[in-house]
């Protein structure tokens, strides 16, 4: 599975961005069988979990730092996962990575080690 993240950019504090992550069509996998997640890595820091969505879209989980501001969603027909980011803060500045893993229906993995496939990252910069 190849993932391509996009949508990053420069935004002012309080602004919004929507990130997208599209999975390439490849034989041997079905997008709807993947749990999907977003992670981020700020300069000089470890990569951290942001949010995840289960295969059946019924379960989502968010890091406390983004809860109420970020929303994850997926479109299985378009093979794409989205991250809507509102009320952005300077501390949200980071490279954002999408990730995927083939798993059971309701699993919402929250650690890096749970994921098998990773996108290349897209930079989000929030100016103060």
């Amino acid at each position: 599975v190849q993932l391509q993240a996009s949508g990053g950019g420069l935004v002012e504090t309080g602004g919004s961005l929507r990130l997208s992550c599209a999975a390439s069509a490849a034989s041997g996998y079905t997008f709807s069988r993947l749990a999907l997640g977003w992670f981020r890595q700020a300069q000089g820091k470890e990569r951290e979990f942001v949010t995840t969505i289960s295969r059946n879209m019924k379960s989502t989980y968010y890091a406390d730092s983004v809860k109420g501001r970020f929303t994850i969603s997926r479109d299985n027909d378009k093979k794409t996962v989205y991250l809507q980011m509102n009320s952005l803060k300077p501390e949200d500045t980071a490279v954002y990575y999408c990730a995927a893993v083939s798993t059971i229906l309701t699993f919402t993995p929250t650690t890096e080690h749970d994921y098998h496939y990773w996108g290349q990252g897209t930079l989000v910069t929030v100016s103060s």
Side-chain angles (χ1 to χ4, degrees), residues 21-71:
C21 177
S24 63
S27 61
Y29 92 97
T30 302
F31 186 79
S32 60
R33 298 184 67 85
L34 301 173
L36 302 162
W38 288 95
F39 289 74
R40 66 186 181 185
Q41 186 169 21
Q43 193 170 8
K45 295 187 177 181
E46 298 284 322
R47 188 155 58 182
E48 65 176 3
F49 167 79
V50 176
T51 180
T52 180
I53 186 167
S54 62
R55 280 178 52 184
N56 62 3
M57 306 186 211
K58 291 184 178 180
S59 299
T60 57
Y61 191 79
Y62 296 89
D64 288 343
S65 59
V66 306
K67 203 172 294 183
R69 300 187 298 122
F70 290 11
T71 303

Side-chain angles (χ1 to χ4, degrees), residues 3 6 14 27-28 65 74 79 88 91 102 124:
L3 303 172
S6 62
S27 61
S65 59
R74 63 189 290 167
K79 296 183 174 58
L88 283 162
E91 50 264 44
S102 181
V124 172

